[in-house]
Amino acid sequence: MSNEIESNKIFIRDVFKWWFRVPDYQRPYVWGTDQVNDLLDDVSEWGLSRPDSEYFLGSIVLQRRSNNGIVEYDLLDGQQRLSTCLLIHAVGRDLTNDDRLKRSCQKTIFQEEDPFDNIPERLRIIYDVRDDVRRFVNEIIKPHGGTNNEEKLKTALESQDLSVRNLARAVGEIRRYFSDEDSISLESFFTFFRNKVLMVYVASPDLDDAFRMFTVLNDRGMKLRGSDILKTLNLRALREEKVSDEGMREWAQFWEGIEGELGDDFDVFLSHLRAVLVKDKARLSLLQEFEDNIYAPKVSTGSKSLADRKPILKMGSDTFNFVQRYYEHYQQLFSGNNYHLYDSWEFDNLIILLNDTSLANFWIPPLLHYRATFLAITASYHFYTNWKTSSAAIGLHFQTPTDRIQSMNQITAKIDEVNSDHSLDKATKVEQLLQSNAFSYDEERFIEILRHYEIYHRRFARYLLFPNLDVLYGSKDTKLQTPRWISVEHILPQNPHGKAVAYRFYG
């Protein structure tokens, strides 16, 4: 097999004469109904208005490999698009009355066994790691009439697996599209789709070359997130560590599980971990921050040149273990179910309060790092109380976002500084932290602003009106409930300073 990089255009009918595998480091199937509908609309409109012209669907990046003499391709980029094309063929097979189209679609989905010619049964796209996806394909995509099974589709929509839920929604959207009486006919659509719709592929047997392409090209309308490429880089590092295939699958499933729970907020969570590690304001993209400031940080040599310094965190097992540990603490912090810690709702009410301040999410990294470092349950509330008082002062000093971030990073750095003293036990370390100047602020300035400065019309007024006073004066046995609308009348007279004022602060 040639070691050269191949690149060429290929029509849909020929794409599905190849064998594909979605490797364990790939992201889940995340296309929503909007992306699926856009693809169908674009192809249909082009086919109706320019039936003799070719339509470019996008690019796919592949790692070419040989498996028992058969050439197959790992899909590094283009899984969303190619999986959607597979679903379109499955729905077309089940909705058409044309037996020839049924056969064409079925051959696109899988190869039937022919023992007389020693031809095994084989799916055109195999999904590594994702057992639930393989089950979905075998039960709904592979068999004739599978996409007509409304009961199985309904069950798939309730699956715990993100890919399965999205695949089921995509099938439903494709069925709805072709069932519309104003839609292009199935026969016309597939005549154009299979013969005039093309893709450009780039294929290499070298994984490094393929990965470089993977980090450059994007899915159709679906840019790769930093978390996607970080997963890829770290799974690749596991290979270099000689981690077993089973171990790699477990970490891939773990990563995808968090991605399924957090969605687009997964990158936000990783940015919190970046802040914990770097303790400085982010100035690069999430991926570049990890690559340049965590995995391969540089240090000035005193001249214009830079030298490598020890990684803050290593790629591979170290990163996966770090993410797993902090995610467990993250889940507990935001579970809203911490009554058992203090036999009260104080802790959860405080988290609601912090969520409702005007400090964005700058406060999360130090709180997360404190819990992960000390696991000091009894002292946790005191830490958060100290932080809350400090953050209130910071907010009312009207600091810039950069100043607020730096204040939070100072607390995170202080946690590491105190924890590095191995002569102290955990309780003493926590006590020193709580008594340190990391939480200090100008108390006189704080009081002066409260007394003399106009705070109405500022978002931070919401913090003062609610829920801070509700936490202070409310019962510890009552869980805080955030009303939709907050107004001055929540705590103050209707006419402050004798004026008819009713400022409304939106949640």
Side-chain angles (χ1 to χ4, degrees):
M1 184 169 59
S2 172
N3 288 325
E4 295 182 358
I5 296 177
E6 294 180 13
S7 181
N8 208 337
K9 69 178 185 179
I10 184 170
F11 291 100
I12 292 296
R13 67 169 184 265
D14 297 318
V15 168
F16 286 99
K17 292 178 182 177
W18 292 0
W19 307 106
F20 299 97
R21 184 178 298 274
V22 178
D24 47 17
Y25 47 76
Q26 260 287 13
R27 68 191 299 184
Y29 180 79
V30 295
W31 265 23
T33 55
D34 286 347
Q35 286 87 6
V36 173
N37 191 72
D38 286 346
L39 187 154
L40 293 168
D41 264 346
D42 291 348
V43 172
S44 297
E45 182 180 348
W46 196 281
L48 290 171
S49 60
R50 284 158 282 198
D52 296 324
S53 300
E54 296 174 348
Y55 177 82
F56 175 60
L57 187 57
S59 58
I60 51 177
V61 180
L62 310 166
Q63 182 192 5
R64 186 174 66 252
R65 61 172 70 240
S66 179
N67 185 4
N68 294 325
I70 298 175
V71 176
E72 63 180 21
Y73 297 90
D74 279 2
L75 265 167
L76 273 68
D77 188 44
Q79 177 214 164
Q80 313 294 321
R81 190 180 308 109
L82 216 58
S83 293
T84 304
C85 290
L86 188 76
L87 301 181
I88 290 172
H89 279 88
V91 172
R93 173 202 63 201
D94 295 340
L95 293 183
T96 186
N97 293 318
D98 190 309
D99 289 338
R100 293 168 300 178
L101 179 54
K102 283 183 181 292
R103 288 194 295 270
S104 293
C105 289
Q106 190 70 351
K107 285 191 297 183
T108 294
I109 296 166
F110 83 105
Q111 171 183 274
E112 293 187 4
E113 181 186 16
D114 185 346
F116 303 107
D117 287 339
N118 198 29
I119 296 175
E121 179 181 295
R122 183 185 174 103
L123 290 164
R124 289 292 173 184
I125 303 179
I126 295 174
Y127 294 83
D128 273 358
V129 178
R130 302 174 176 90
D131 293 335
D132 290 338
V133 175
R134 286 201 294 268
R135 191 177 304 111
F136 177 89
V137 171
N138 284 325
E139 293 181 357
I140 294 177
I141 304 305
K142 178 181 170 183
H144 284 280
T147 65
N148 295 334
N149 193 320
E150 295 183 1
E151 184 176 343
K152 286 188 176 180
L153 282 173
K154 183 178 180 180
T155 300
L157 287 171
E158 299 171 354
S159 171
Q160 296 294 316
D161 187 276
L162 175 65
S163 291
V164 170
R165 295 198 304 272
N166 287 328
L167 288 167
R169 290 192 188 99
V171 168
E173 179 61 20
I174 298 166
R175 289 180 58 83
R176 181 206 63 76
Y177 186 89
F178 286 121
S179 298
D180 190 327
E181 60 183 21
D182 294 328
S183 176
I184 184 176
S185 71
L186 279 166
E187 292 71 28
S188 296
F189 177 88
F190 276 97
T191 298
F192 180 78
F193 186 50
R194 291 178 60 82
N195 297 286
K196 292 295 184 179
V197 174
L198 61 87
M199 309 177 84
V200 169
Y201 72 90
V202 179
S204 172
D206 185 270
L207 188 60
D208 287 335
D209 287 340
F211 269 122
R212 277 193 285 272
M213 294 295 179
F214 172 72
T215 58
V216 172
L217 297 177
N218 293 326
D219 280 344
R220 171 188 168 90
M222 181 69 68
K223 289 186 177 181
L224 292 170
R225 294 190 295 232
S227 57
D228 297 318
I229 301 176
L230 278 175
K231 179 182 72 171
T232 302
L233 294 174
N234 280 284
L235 285 169
R236 179 179 169 188
L238 291 183
R239 290 186 185 277
E240 296 173 357
E241 294 177 24
K242 308 299 183 184
V243 173
S244 67
D245 289 344
E246 179 62 27
M248 290 184 62
R249 281 194 291 271
E250 289 177 359
W251 280 126
Q253 289 174 328
F254 158 75
W255 194 278
E256 290 180 10
I258 300 180
E259 189 172 37
E261 291 184 28
L262 298 183
D264 290 338
D265 287 339
F266 189 21
D267 274 18
V268 177
F269 169 70
L270 291 174
S271 72
H272 295 327
L273 301 192
R274 184 218 64 84
V276 167
L277 293 166
V278 179
K279 302 172 186 65
D280 196 5
K281 179 182 178 181
R283 295 174 175 83
L284 304 169
S285 69
L286 177 66
L287 180 62
Q288 287 179 308
E289 284 283 338
F290 268 83
E291 289 186 324
D292 297 350
N293 294 327
I294 295 175
Y295 293 143
K298 306 289 184 181
V299 62
S300 175
T301 60
S303 63
K304 292 184 179 180
S305 63
L306 295 174
D308 293 334
R309 62 185 174 93
K310 185 179 179 181
I312 298 175
L313 183 71
K314 293 181 181 179
M315 279 195 291
S317 298
D318 286 350
T319 293
F320 282 115
N321 282 301
F322 181 80
V323 172
Q324 182 183 53
R325 183 162 64 93
Y326 273 76
Y327 185 62
E328 289 172 356
H329 293 298
Y330 183 83
Q331 283 182 304
Q332 188 61 49
L333 283 175
F334 293 97
S335 67
N337 189 29
N338 291 289
Y339 186 93
H340 62 287
L341 297 181
Y342 312 100
D343 291 327
S344 77
W345 290 114
E346 282 185 288
F347 183 92
D348 294 301
N349 286 344
L350 184 51
I351 293 298
I352 293 172
L353 170 62
L354 295 177
N355 263 324
D356 209 68
T357 68
S358 62
L359 300 179
N361 54 19
F362 307 151
W363 56 274
I364 295 178
L367 271 64
L368 188 60
H369 190 43
Y370 173 83
R371 181 182 175 87
T373 302
F374 294 118
L375 289 175
I377 299 300
T378 56
S380 292
Y381 186 78
H382 299 296
F383 173 82
Y384 300 149
T385 302
N386 279 17
W387 187 93
K388 186 255 297 183
T389 303
S390 175
S391 67
I394 290 169
L396 285 178
H397 283 154
F398 307 131
Q399 285 188 337
T400 66
T402 297
D403 290 336
R404 295 176 188 174
I405 293 172
Q406 188 58 34
S407 297
M408 298 301 100
N409 287 334
Q410 288 175 359
I411 296 176
T412 305
K414 192 64 177 181
I415 293 171
D416 283 345
E417 178 186 331
V418 171
N419 192 47
S420 65
D421 190 342
H422 301 299
S423 66
L424 304 177
D425 59 29
K426 183 184 296 184
T428 305
K429 290 178 180 179
V430 170
E431 183 179 357
Q432 284 196 5
L433 174 66
L434 296 178
Q435 294 176 356
S436 72
N437 60 2
F439 302 93
S440 64
Y441 62 94
D442 188 337
E443 186 174 349
E444 291 183 1
R445 172 68 173 165
F446 178 68
I447 295 174
E448 181 184 359
I449 289 174
L450 286 176
R451 287 178 174 173
H452 303 295
Y453 282 70
E454 177 62 66
I455 63 169
Y456 297 122
H457 299 294
R458 298 180 182 271
R459 176 166 171 76
F460 206 83
R462 178 181 174 89
Y463 172 86
L464 295 176
L465 293 173
F466 177 88
N468 191 38
L469 289 180
D470 282 18
V471 169
L472 291 174
Y473 294 118
S475 169
K476 297 178 180 180
D477 294 323
T478 302
K479 196 169 186 179
L480 195 62
Q481 300 293 328
T482 306
R484 182 176 181 183
W485 302 106
I486 305 297
S487 66
V488 173
E489 289 84 353
H490 190 71
I491 60 166
L492 296 179
Q494 293 187 3
N495 297 305
H497 305 301
K499 298 178 181 179
V501 181
Y503 300 114
R504 177 159 282 178
F505 301 89
Y506 294 88

